[in-house]
């Protein structure tokens, strides 16, 4: 399938408006980070009871989105599904932007980004028996693999593209399974501990990454006035509903296993306690039930707006799933000395919503959006439109150079 790809011109009023808005919110997020840098993590709502907050929630969320998006790019470059070629480059670049955003989230949570180099001092300053140290290798390697993979695509080295695609699939799976292992292997945290957590994380990555890719493709193609075959989105939506069912079954098995155990108090607290609305409304309602109703409905599943609503619900719901794991998972008291802990260490923690974190967290999202927008303007990521009708040249983002001036793939 011969396709030509090009950049967007980025000269319209809408482009500059979006660019300025994203830049402003990113700047506000940076200012809020500097406040936390000077004042300490307490301004982010973190405490000795709940040490992780929104930066870590966003980090594992972005890692999942990125891994899912990169794996989906292999549909074309590894498995030869030519119908997905128009969006394959976009998927790879989106994966790179998201893993970079995840690494920003890690740096913000550490509180001292100037010391981030220590994360990469493997076998020297790091305890390589720790899942955190192992994931440092996975994250750094993932970013490099993604960049090399995209470079091979631009260079049109097809044998190398297929090789890098296979490596990218395996590494992306390891990245998110490794992230799941950070939680699933912690026996002292009852809500975290689960042998299937790595596989649950990988499935959630596929679900959220696919949903975000669908949203990004529809939004970008509409914004740049490119023709999008709706069947491409509908075929992805059919894959999405299968993955949602698989994820829901995994979560059900995980929770039933915990409830069957004699030490079920933590899971009962998660399902009925003060944070239970996050699990039932966001995770179960938005990520599983509502999207499945839409995607299995004979009318809504064949309507682009209906599919987009389902994808948005999934993206929100999987974020709720990450938040439901991180904050309630650390809020529940550690069972170190059952029946002998008194004071704050024997009570469930609370997580206040602070102004600094409320503005810093959206800044991570807008920075990723800004990088994605800059990439669209400077990299040949989108298929070229047919020549515009006479008299409309240069209007909107869809105006593109003549096909013969663009690279062939």
């Amino acid at each position: 399938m011969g396709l030509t790809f090009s950049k967007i011109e980025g000269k319209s009023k809408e482009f500059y408006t979006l660019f300025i808005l994203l830049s402003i919110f990113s700047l506000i997020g940076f200012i809020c980070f500097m406040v936390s840098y000077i004042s300490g993590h307490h301004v982010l709502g973190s405490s000795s009871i709940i040490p992780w907050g929104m930066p870590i929630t966003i980090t594992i969320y972005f890692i999942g989105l990125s891994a899912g998006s990169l794996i989906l790019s292999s549909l074309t470059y590894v498995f030869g599904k030519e119908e997905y070629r128009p969006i394959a480059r976009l998927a790879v670049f989106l994966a790179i932007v998201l893993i970079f955003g995840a690494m920003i989230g890690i740096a913000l949570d550490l509180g001292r980004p100037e010391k981030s180099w220590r994360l990469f001092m493997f076998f020297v300053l790091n305890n390589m028996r720790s899942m955190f140290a192992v994931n440092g290798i996975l994250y750094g390697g993932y970013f490099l693999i993604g960049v090399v993979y995209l470079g091979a695509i631009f260079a049109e080295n097809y044998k190398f593209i297929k090789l890098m695609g296979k490596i990218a699939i395996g590494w992306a799976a390891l990245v998110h399974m490794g992230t799941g292992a950070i939680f699933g292997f912690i026996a002292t945290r009852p809500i975290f501990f689960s042998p299937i957590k790595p596989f649950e994380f990988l499935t959630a990555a596929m679900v959220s990454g696919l949903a975000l890719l669908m949203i990004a493709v529809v939004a970008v193609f509409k914004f740049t006035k490119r023709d999008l075959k709706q069947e491409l989105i509908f075929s992805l939506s059919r894959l999405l509903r299968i993955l949602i069912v698989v994820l829901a079954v995994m979560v059900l098995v995980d929770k039933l296993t915990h409830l069957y155990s004699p030490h079920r108090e933590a899971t009962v607290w998660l399902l009925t306690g003060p944070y239970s609305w996050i699990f039932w409304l966001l995770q179960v309602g938005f990520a599983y039930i509502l999207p499945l109703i839409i995607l299995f409905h004979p009318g809504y599943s064949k309507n682009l707006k209906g599919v987009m609503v389902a994808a948005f619900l999934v993206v929100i719901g999987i974020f709720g799933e990450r938040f439901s794991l991180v904050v309630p998972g650390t809020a529940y008291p550690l069972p170190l000395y059952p029946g002998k802990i008194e004071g704050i260490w024997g009570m469930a923690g609370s997580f206040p919503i602070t102004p600094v974190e409320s503005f810093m967290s959206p800044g991570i999202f807008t920075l990723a959006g800004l990088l994605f927008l800059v990439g669209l303007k400077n990299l040949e990521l989108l298929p070229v439109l047919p020549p515009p009708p006479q008299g409309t040249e240069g209007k909107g983002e869809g105006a593109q150079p003549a096909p013969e001036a663009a690279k062939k793939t």
Side-chain angles (χ1 to χ4, degrees):
M1 178 181 178
L3 279 179
T4 55
F5 288 82
S6 71
K7 315 166 186 178
I8 65 172
E9 289 190 353
K11 295 180 180 179
S12 70
K13 180 180 178 182
E14 292 81 2
F15 178 89
Y16 285 115
T17 300
L18 182 58
F19 182 87
I20 291 171
L21 286 175
L22 292 174
S23 299
I24 290 172
F25 280 103
S26 298
L27 179 60
I28 292 173
F30 177 75
I31 293 171
C32 289
F33 164 70
M34 291 307 300
V35 172
S36 71
Y37 184 92
I38 295 169
S39 302
H41 267 39
H42 67 278
V43 300
L44 300 179
S46 302
S47 65
S48 298
I49 306 297
I50 303 181
W52 289 344
M54 290 301 292
I56 290 298
T57 301
I58 293 172
T59 293
I60 63 173
Y61 180 58
F62 270 20
I63 291 170
L65 291 172
S66 177
S69 186
L70 190 66
I71 290 172
L72 290 165
S73 72
S74 67
L75 291 174
T76 293
Y77 297 122
V78 177
F79 298 105
K81 298 290 185 180
E82 290 296 324
E83 61 268 31
Y84 300 114
R85 186 174 291 275
I87 65 173
R89 286 189 177 195
L90 195 68
V92 176
F93 180 68
L94 182 61
I96 295 172
V97 169
L98 289 168
I99 192 61
F100 183 77
M103 295 168 77
I104 293 293
I106 293 173
L108 296 184
D109 182 75
L110 290 174
R112 290 292 183 267
E114 71 274 12
K115 296 183 179 181
S116 297
W117 61 272
R118 295 171 64 94
L119 295 172
F120 303 100
M121 298 299 291
F122 307 120
F123 304 100
V124 179
L125 297 178
N126 289 340
N127 175 15
M128 296 311 296
R129 292 176 296 177
S130 166
M131 282 306 305
F132 290 97
V134 172
N135 274 272
I137 295 176
L138 294 177
Y139 299 159
Y142 178 84
F143 181 77
L144 292 175
I145 288 170
V147 172
V148 173
Y149 186 22
L150 186 62
I153 293 171
F154 286 141
E156 301 176 353
N157 187 331
Y158 297 109
K159 289 185 178 179
F160 191 50
I161 289 173
K162 192 165 186 177
L163 172 63
M164 287 306 303
K166 293 176 181 178
I167 294 173
I169 293 173
W171 202 275
L174 285 175
V175 162
H176 214 52
M177 290 177 70
T179 305
I182 289 177
F183 293 87
F185 291 179
I186 302 179
T188 54
R189 297 284 185 182
I191 293 176
F192 290 174
F193 188 55
S194 172
I196 69 169
K197 194 63 71 178
F199 304 99
E200 180 188 321
F201 261 58
L202 179 60
T203 308
M206 295 289 291
V207 170
S208 59
L210 177 53
L212 181 66
L213 181 62
M214 290 164 58
I215 294 170
V217 167
V218 171
V220 169
F221 274 61
K222 183 176 181 180
F223 181 66
T224 58
K225 299 179 175 64
R226 281 171 164 78
D227 181 38
L228 174 65
K229 294 181 179 179
Q230 293 190 7
E231 179 53 35
L232 186 150
I233 300 299
F234 293 146
S235 66
L236 291 176
S237 71
R238 291 191 288 271
L239 175 60
L240 178 62
R241 68 189 183 188
I242 294 172
L243 292 172
I244 293 174
V245 170
V246 174
L247 176 60
V249 171
M250 282 192 172
V251 172
L252 177 63
V253 170
D254 176 72
K255 296 299 179 282
L256 288 177
T257 303
H258 281 93
L259 289 172
Y260 188 79
S261 168
H263 305 290
R264 62 177 67 90
E265 295 84 1
T267 301
V268 171
W269 180 81
L270 173 67
L271 301 180
T272 62
Y275 297 102
S276 60
W277 67 272
I278 300 172
F279 177 82
W280 292 112
L281 177 62
L282 294 183
Q283 182 173 341
V284 176
F286 281 20
Y288 311 150
I289 296 177
L290 291 178
L292 287 177
I293 291 174
I294 294 172
L295 294 176
F296 278 103
H297 189 277
Y300 298 146
S301 62
K302 295 180 175 60
N303 180 280
L304 187 61
K305 290 183 179 179
V307 170
M308 284 297 98
V309 169
F312 270 108
L313 288 171
V314 167
V315 168
I316 296 170
I318 297 299
F319 181 80
E321 180 181 28
R322 301 312 191 205
F323 188 86
S324 178
L325 181 70
V326 172
V327 174
T330 53
Y332 191 78
L334 286 167
L336 298 178
Y337 301 98
K340 297 182 180 180
I341 298 294
E342 296 180 356
I344 62 171
W345 302 107
M347 298 186 299
S350 62
F351 186 75
I353 304 299
T354 66
V356 173
E357 188 172 56
S358 297
F359 284 101
M360 188 185 79
S361 298
I364 304 174
F365 286 95
T366 55
L367 177 61
L370 185 63
L371 293 174
F372 184 66
L373 195 65
V374 171
L376 290 175
K377 181 173 171 57
N378 293 281
L379 299 174
E380 295 175 342
L381 298 171
L382 298 174
V384 176
L385 281 173
Q390 195 172 27
T392 63
E393 291 82 355
K395 292 185 179 181
E397 298 301 331
Q400 302 295 335
E404 59 269 16
K407 288 185 177 181
K408 296 274 187 180
T409 61

